[in-house]
């Protein structure tokens, strides 16, 4: 199953750097401010796939910030 880091709603750029280091980022579909989901979380009913090239760019961006291994 796809994970949050492959979803259009997962928003690492709107997330505090300290949370990114633990692999968490804001989900734009969750109603509570500051609610974050792990890059490893299973896709939810709100999952909307991000294009493959954008997923790769996101993973590269996260790795540069040491947010994921």
């Amino acid at each position: 199953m796809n994970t949050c880091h492959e979803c259009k709603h997962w928003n690492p750029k709107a997330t505090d750097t300290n949370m990114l280091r633990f692999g968490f980022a804001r989900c734009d579909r969750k109603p509570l401010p500051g609610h974050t989901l792990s890059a490893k979380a299973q896709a939810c009913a709100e999952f909307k796939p991000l294009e493959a090239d954008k997923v790769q760019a996101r993973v590269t961006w996260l790795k540069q910030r040491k947010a994921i291994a």
Side-chain angles (χ1 to χ4, degrees):
M1 178 164 269
N2 294 310
T3 60
C4 292
H5 78 278
E6 296 177 8
C7 181
K8 288 185 179 187
H9 302 137
W10 200 67
N11 194 346
K13 291 184 178 179
T15 303
D16 181 86
T17 306
N18 292 322
M19 292 302 290
L20 281 177
R21 289 187 186 140
F22 292 107
F24 290 87
R26 172 169 287 170
C27 176
D28 290 335
R29 300 299 292 178
K30 299 293 179 181
L32 301 173
H35 187 92
T36 58
L37 291 172
S38 168
K40 305 287 186 191
Q42 289 190 347
C44 67
E46 300 287 332
F47 180 82
K48 187 170 183 183
L50 188 64
E51 296 81 10
D53 60 326
K54 292 182 181 179
V55 170
Q56 186 56 45
R58 181 182 279 176
V59 168
T60 300
W61 186 86
L62 289 166
K63 285 182 179 180
Q64 289 172 346
R65 281 146 190 80
K66 299 188 182 346
I68 61 173

